[in-house]
């Protein structure tokens, strides 16, 4: 595997989302007035899971992938073995850290280990979920929100309460809209593969307005319920995601994708 291929896969498999996961945990902890040091090694939990989920999902090449991402499809098929090894190591790390966090925190129970498997269940059902436009984006958004809140709870011993509702809703809107924002660029290939998405129905102009509005509402929720700092950091995360999207687009242009 060449360095150029590694760079391409890092961007096109969305592996950079592991960084946004860490920052989302930071924002959530601050929004709940929790000290960041209380999270500790928990910061690694969503990163390991996100790496596994996104690499595993991309390894399962869908019918729309050769149309939307031909070069990515070629590399994913070429490096199946290497990607399989790394995503299994990430999964092993996730499960090990999950058990360790439960053991370290007396306020959590063994059922938290079962709760940590929920994102994997969603991954297993994702091919079915993709058949239903909009619902799959909601499922991805809800799963992201769950993973971030679950990480904070299991790492800090934060009790389940109504205080968790607002961060969950904010991340649901932001991540769900983020999925559909990505679908805007893939709408033509998705249509040829008979995959309908909300972005495909709305089109580029209206879709951009709607999804930007949803992300803005998510930021506003943080501002109203938690103050300026979490809201500002959330805007920063969105800016970071935009920067990585730009780099990803440039990489796609480089290979005429």
């Amino acid at each position: 595997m060449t360095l150029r291929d590694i760079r391409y896969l890092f961007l096109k498999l969305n592996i950079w989302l592991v960084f946004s996961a860490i920052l989302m945990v930071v924002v959530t902890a601050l929004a709940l007035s929790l000290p960041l040091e209380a999270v500790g090694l928990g910061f690694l939990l969503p990163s390991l899971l996100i790496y596994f989920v996104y690499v595993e999902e991309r390894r399962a090449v869908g019918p729309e992938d050769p149309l939307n991402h031909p070069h990515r499809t070629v590399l994913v098929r070429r490096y199946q073995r290497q990607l399989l090894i790394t995503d299994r190591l990430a999964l092993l790390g996730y499960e090990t850290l999950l058990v360790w966090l439960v053991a370290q925190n007396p306020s959590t129970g063994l059922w938290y280990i079962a709760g940590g498997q929920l994102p994997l269940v969603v991954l297993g059902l994702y091919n079915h979920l993709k058949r239903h436009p909009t619902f799959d984006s909601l499922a991805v958004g809800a799963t992201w929100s769950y993973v971030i809140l679950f990480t904070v709870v299991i790492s800090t011993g934060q009790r389940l309460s109504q205080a968790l509702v607002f961060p969950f809703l904010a991340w649901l809107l932001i991540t769900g809209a983020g999925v559909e924002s990505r679908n805007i660029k893939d709408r033509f290939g998705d249509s040829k593969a008979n995959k309908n998405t909300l972005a495909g129905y709305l089109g580029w102009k209206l879709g951009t307005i709607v999804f930007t509005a949803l992300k803005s509402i998510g930021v506003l929720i943080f501002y109203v319920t938690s103050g300026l700092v979490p809201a500002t950091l959330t805007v920063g995360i969105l800016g970071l995601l935009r920067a990585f999207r730009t780099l990803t687009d440039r990489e796609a242009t480089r290979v005429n994708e």
Side-chain angles (χ1 to χ4, degrees), residues 116-239:
Q117 310 312 308
L118 181 59
L120 303 180
V121 173
V122 175
L123 175 63
L125 296 173
Y126 191 60
N127 283 332
H128 177 72
L129 295 174
K130 287 195 292 187
R131 302 173 190 171
H132 306 281
T134 306
F135 184 75
D136 66 325
S137 298
L138 289 174
V140 172
T143 303
W144 264 90
S145 300
Y146 174 85
V147 169
I148 299 304
L149 270 295
F150 179 80
T151 296
V152 172
V153 168
I154 199 173
S155 300
T156 66
Q158 169 74 18
R159 292 186 176 183
L160 300 178
S161 67
Q162 292 181 347
L164 301 176
V165 172
F166 292 113
F168 182 90
L169 181 59
W171 291 130
L172 172 62
L173 293 173
I174 291 170
T175 54
V179 172
E180 287 296 343
S181 295
R182 184 189 65 197
N183 287 340
I184 289 177
K185 296 179 180 179
D186 294 342
R187 64 190 187 279
F188 297 116
D190 289 343
S191 178
K192 291 180 181 179
N194 295 318
K195 176 187 175 183
N196 298 315
T197 64
L198 181 59
Y201 288 131
L202 295 178
W204 181 84
K205 185 175 182 180
L206 181 57
T208 300
I209 294 173
V210 170
F211 304 140
T212 300
L214 291 175
K215 294 174 186 177
S216 299
I217 293 172
V219 173
L220 184 61
I221 290 174
F222 275 123
Y223 177 73
V224 172
T225 61
S226 305
L228 182 61
V229 173
T232 302
L233 288 176
T234 303
V235 173
I237 292 174
L238 292 174

Side-chain angles (χ1 to χ4, degrees), residues 15-89:
I15 295 173
W16 43 267
L17 286 173
V18 299
F19 302 121
S20 67
I22 294 174
L23 294 175
M24 289 166 72
V25 172
V26 171
V27 170
T28 304
L30 293 175
L32 296 171
S33 300
L34 297 171
L36 296 181
E37 58 267 22
V39 180
L41 288 176
F43 281 116
L44 296 176
L45 194 68
S47 297
L48 291 167
L49 179 63
I50 294 303
Y51 181 92
F52 168 75
V53 167
Y54 276 80
V55 173
E56 185 69 10
E57 195 274 331
R58 300 298 191 269
R59 282 200 320 109
V61 177
E64 71 279 2
D65 289 336
L67 298 171
N68 292 328
H69 312 286
H71 188 66
R72 188 186 81 182
T73 301
V74 169
L75 290 186
V76 165
R77 288 171 172 166
R78 179 184 302 169
Y79 298 121
Q80 273 284 326
R81 182 171 177 272
Q82 293 90 330
L83 293 173
L84 175 63
I85 292 173
T86 59
D87 81 12
R88 291 303 187 271
L89 288 175

